[in-house]
Amino acid sequence: QVQLVESGGGLVQAGGSLRLSCAASGRTFRSYAMGWFRQAPGKEREFVATIRWSGGNTYYADSVKGRFTISGDNAKNTAYLQMNSLKPEDTAVYYCAAQTSGTGWYDYWGQGTQVTVSS
């Protein structure tokens, strides 16, 4: 079984920064891409950022573009999300996910890590 574990969440003031980490465990696999999603209380889960290992292509939601940076290590199925200039509206549970094919479907998900941004 493949497991993803997020870490690095916490409480931060508006304008501050956090760096989220995601690491895979369990059976060996190779991800084609990894991404980050978030879900605020009472809202639907939304896309935040993704990185495709081949070519290192990245894509960001408009709401975080210019503030967040996704990076990682394909060989280790590890992903990071550097979050700068945080805003209260960034408050959510952040989830890491991995794609094992080029379909865009995320096969594996983590349990999430809480990010709270105070005003």
Side-chain angles (χ1 to χ4, degrees):
Q1 183 180 36
V2 172
Q3 301 169 69
L4 301 181
V5 180
E6 304 95 337
S7 62
L11 175 64
V12 65
Q13 289 188 327
S17 298
L18 285 173
R19 191 188 192 220
L20 306 184
S21 298
C22 173
S25 63
R27 73 172 179 86
T28 300
F29 79 106
R30 284 288 179 268
S31 61
Y32 290 2
M34 296 186 73
W36 289 93
F37 293 75
R38 67 186 183 186
Q39 187 169 24
K43 297 184 178 180
E44 297 293 321
R45 187 173 297 184
E46 66 176 350
F47 168 80
V48 175
T50 189
I51 181 167
R52 186 172 66 87
W53 301 125
S54 180
N57 301 71
T58 58
Y59 185 83
Y60 299 90
D62 289 341
S63 59
V64 306
K65 198 172 299 181
R67 300 187 297 121
F68 292 9
T69 302
I70 187 171
S71 62
D73 186 335
N74 181 34
K76 297 192 290 186
N77 290 320
T78 301
Y80 306 97
L81 186 68
Q82 180 65 47
M83 309 164 66
N84 297 327
S85 302
L86 283 162
K87 305 174 181 180
E89 52 262 45
D90 294 319
T91 295
V93 176
Y94 283 71
Y95 298 90
C96 173
Q99 297 179 31
T100 59
S101 70
T103 65
W105 178 261
Y106 289 90
D107 303 281
Y108 305 117
W109 293 80
Q111 293 288 82
T113 185
Q114 177 71 47
V115 172
T116 303
V117 184
S118 63
S119 60

